[in-house]
Amino acid sequence: MTAPAIPEPRPSAGYLAAYEHQVLLYLRNWRGSLFSNFAQPALFLLAMGVGLGSYVDKGGANATDGVSYLQFLAPALLVSSVMQGASSEGTFPVLAGFHWVRRYYAMYATPLTPRAIAFGQLAWNATHALMVGSIFCVIIALFGAAATPGIVWSVPIGVLTGMAFSAPIAAFMSTQRDTNAWNNIWRFGITPLFLFSGTFFPIDRLPELLRPIAWLLPLWHGVDLARSAALGTIGQAPLLALAHVAILLAMAVGGTWAMFVMFRRQLEA
Amino acid sequence: MATTSAPAQAPLIAARGLTKRFGSFTAVDAVDFDVAPGESFGFLGPNGAGKTSTMRMIGCVSPITAGELRILGLDPATDGPRIRGRLGVVPQQDTLDTDLSVVDNLVIYGRYFGLTRAESRRRAAELLEFAQLADRAGDRVDPLSGGMKRRLTIARALINEPSILLLDEPTTGLDPQARHLLWDRLYRLKQRGVTLVLTTHYMDEAEQLCDRLVVMDKARIVAEGSPRSLIERYSSREVTELRFAVGVQETLADAQLEGIGDRIDRLPDRVLVYSDDGEAVGPAVHARGLRPETVLVRRSSLEDVFLRLTGRTLVD
């Protein structure tokens, strides 16, 4: 039996094409996500930073590392917002890909591998996180909420934190048929993290016994890292900063690996 | 079982002892078949016979459990992406991207096969003409009718100019008019020399589109051949359907019909008499004093073949 000349598809082309599909989806549907991604953070900054901040600042700047509450809040809010957005991107597009629209199955009927399909989704989620973080950063600058130029570090730190959530959530959501489990993740995971990971008040305001728990809160690593970079205090504890990066990186890499495995399992089932 | 009519040319698809198990459930049980270039090959059988599992293995998206499978001379286990690059797949359930326009669906799909954007757009325009969807190019997919979506799915499956087109129940759920339009498009592809592999549980579809087919039942192949040869082998030229009044049908004794036609099948609602001369059956029945309410003479079909092979009707 002689095989006809069949070209070996270049794997890299598949990874890029899967990413291109996600970009195309955004270009055709971006209007719907505009408010939640960009206007909402600005409103948060206005209400919490400027409104609540003017109240907090009356108590003296000691409470918030010697800067205004708005400057204290801004980098942390950026990271938290990017994390929330990336968590959603790890959920709904994955459910749509497997169940609602089934576009992952369409992709799998081509030379694309499950890994390329997962990569396309994840690379887009990172791109989206980068967009949300960058625009948030500009809004922060416009509000005069940047203590130092170090605020720009919040953007890559936000993307890293976002991936530390998005990848494992996407891996988990590939096993789900609906949003029931996701609702519980949001209720008992994302929202408490948003409130208690040092975004709105420093972790050392928590009762002493509870403080070590911060290490278990993945968002805290991103928040603390971004804030120390933005306020210029990162040099005081370089090892802590390194630990933050290592933990977030481990989550993102581990989540990506899990996503590769779960996507293959789901597509071949 | 051995294949009875091995194609002369090297087969595009060759399966030997092909098996798929999900846990303890055997979906496909050691089937053998070959598909020759340019051939139109069908898997006929009821729901749950193992047709879709077989198609997914051929489509290189579901690993085989046992046996051997070669597509275009390649092994799906090691060359899946390469084989998929030469296949066009029309799945049973639509996988069109409802968040994109009709033409976007085609263009992005071409990108998966490594086409440049310009080439993909050129082929998309051509295929929209072929699928009679050119005037809907910029529209969203959602408002399209079921038949239009199927045609778009077929157009999408052709973007890479595939060597083999796999169609899993291509017309299930379509109204008769949409179905005939689809058959017409598939027939044109067949005439162009595209190898078609399809599953169906519709007899008329198998008779319309397939040069050769296998009948599947309970994970196994129970018969193989052209529609005509299967009818000749397992049925007769004509079938006479006798319907008796309620009450009579149930009490009818086998002996009362014995000797009429070549063979008789008794269904809950009617009696089928197989013979070469269907017109002669009516008078013969009357001569025995039986008074059926209706007598319908028709050509024998694959439905009769299936009934003969499995003792069951195909679509419940």
Side-chain angles (χ1 to χ4, degrees), chain B residues 157-180:
Chain B
L158 296 171
I159 196 94
N160 59 325
E161 295 174 349
S163 305
I164 306 170
L165 186 61
L166 304 177
L167 304 121
D168 195 1
E169 310 230 345
T171 64
T172 298
L174 297 188
D175 60 60
Q177 200 191 345
R179 182 198 277 193
H180 278 281

Side-chain angles (χ1 to χ4, degrees), chain A residues 78-97:
Chain A
L78 184 155
V79 170
S80 298
S81 295
V82 171
M83 179 278 285
Q84 286 189 329
S87 298
S88 288
E89 291 289 310
T91 300
F92 300 102
V94 173
L95 283 170

Side-chain angles (χ1 to χ4, degrees), chain A residues 21 28 103 106 110 112 269, chain B residues 56 84 97 104 109 111-112:
Chain A
H21 192 141
R28 298 290 191 257
R103 64 171 67 91
T110 75
L112 263 57
Chain B
R56 283 175 47 80
R84 291 200 300 269
D97 200 318
D104 278 344
Y109 217 63
R111 300 285 290 152
Y112 291 151

Side-chain angles (χ1 to χ4, degrees), chain B:
Chain B
M1 59 171 282
T3 48
T4 48
S5 61
Q9 289 167 278
L12 286 188
I13 305 173
R16 294 293 175 274
L18 183 62
T19 300
K20 180 74 189 185
R21 278 191 286 272
F22 298 99
S24 61
F25 172 71
T26 303
V28 180
D29 191 4
V31 300
D32 299 341
F33 59 87
D34 286 320
V35 180
E39 190 176 30
S40 201
F41 185 84
F43 292 94
L44 178 75
N47 291 328
K51 303 185 306 281
T52 296
S53 294
T54 306
M55 285 294 252
R56 283 175 47 80
M57 288 191 281
I58 298 172
C60 305
V61 295
S62 169
I64 72 172
T65 309
E68 196 182 271
L69 181 63
R70 291 288 177 277
I71 299 150
L72 303 161
L74 300 171
D75 183 353
T78 51
D79 282 310
R82 201 164 153 207
I83 299 169
R84 291 200 300 269
R86 296 304 313 140
L87 301 179
V89 179
V90 178
Q92 195 173 336
Q93 205 182 340
D94 276 328
T95 57
L96 294 167
D97 200 318
T98 46
D99 293 324
L100 294 176
S101 72
V102 166
V103 68
D104 278 344
N105 260 281
L106 297 184
V107 175
I108 191 67
Y109 217 63
R111 300 285 290 152
Y112 291 151
F113 294 93
L115 303 182
T116 63
R117 267 188 212 89
E119 175 63 10
S120 197
R121 267 197 290 268
R122 191 188 65 73
R123 290 192 193 180
E126 259 177 37
L127 287 167
L128 285 177
E129 288 292 340
F130 173 73
Q132 295 170 307
L133 287 168
D135 55 335
R136 306 298 295 263
D139 291 3
R140 287 273 171 148
V141 167
D142 250 345
L144 298 185
S145 71
M148 288 174 171
K149 283 182 184 165
R150 293 316 280 172
R151 261 143 55 208
L152 180 57
T153 301
I154 290 174
R156 189 180 68 174
L158 296 171
I159 196 94
N160 59 325
E161 295 174 349
S163 305
I164 306 170
L165 186 61
L166 304 177
L167 304 121
D168 195 1
E169 310 230 345
T171 64
T172 298
L174 297 188
D175 60 60
Q177 200 191 345
R179 182 198 277 193
H180 278 281
L181 183 53
L182 207 72
W183 284 348
D184 170 64
R185 297 294 114 176
L186 292 176
Y187 192 71
R188 280 162 200 248
L189 290 175
K190 183 170 144 45
Q191 284 188 314
R192 283 191 213 164
V194 178
T195 303
L196 302 181
V197 177
L198 63 121
T199 73
T200 184
H201 58 232
Y202 294 119
M203 294 296 163
D204 48 354
E205 185 157 273
E207 294 189 72
Q208 285 266 344
L209 295 175
C210 298
D211 301 324
R212 207 159 54 84
L213 56 94
V214 291
V215 180
M216 285 189 84
D217 188 44
K218 296 178 182 155
R220 306 196 67 116
I221 290 176
V222 292
E224 187 250 337
S226 69
R228 195 97 302 269
S229 74
L230 285 172
I231 289 168
E232 278 164 14
R233 210 178 324 153
Y234 296 104
S235 188
S236 55
R237 203 169 70 84
E238 292 185 328
V239 178
T240 310
E241 297 198 4
L242 308 173
R243 273 174 205 271
F244 292 92
V246 180
V248 178
Q249 164 89 18
E250 291 83 349
T251 57
L252 209 58
D254 284 342
Q256 288 180 273
L257 292 165
E258 211 176 280
I260 300 178
D262 303 334
R263 197 167 56 82
I264 285 169
D265 255 323
R266 293 185 60 171
L267 302 182
D269 60 333
R270 59 195 195 274
V271 176
L272 304 183
V273 181
Y274 300 87
S275 68
D276 281 338
D277 182 7
E279 298 294 344
V281 170
V285 170
H286 275 261
R288 297 198 181 186
L290 296 169
R291 296 288 175 266
E293 291 199 320
T294 63
V295 177
L296 171 76
V297 181
R298 59 170 173 81
R299 278 175 56 231
S300 182
S301 76
L302 287 170
E303 177 87 45
D304 306 306
V305 171
F306 190 80
L307 184 68
R308 172 73 189 276
L309 286 166
T310 67
R312 290 174 295 119
T313 49
L314 191 63
V315 185
D316 299 316

Side-chain angles (χ1 to χ4, degrees), chain A residues 60-74:
Chain A
N62 304 337
T64 50
D65 300 350
V67 296
S68 78
Y69 184 68
L70 184 61
Q71 290 168 336
F72 170 85
L73 179 68

Side-chain angles (χ1 to χ4, degrees), chain A residues 189-233:
Chain A
I190 305 289
T191 301
L193 280 182
F194 181 58
L195 295 173
F196 293 104
S197 293
T199 307
F200 297 103
F201 55 89
I203 285 292
D204 55 23
R205 297 301 138 124
L206 286 172
E208 191 138 9
L209 272 172
L210 289 180
R211 264 177 247 165
I213 290 177
W215 279 88
L216 298 176
L217 305 179
L219 179 58
W220 175 68
H221 299 289
V223 163
D224 197 59
L225 190 60
R227 179 172 286 143
S228 58
L231 304 186
T233 59

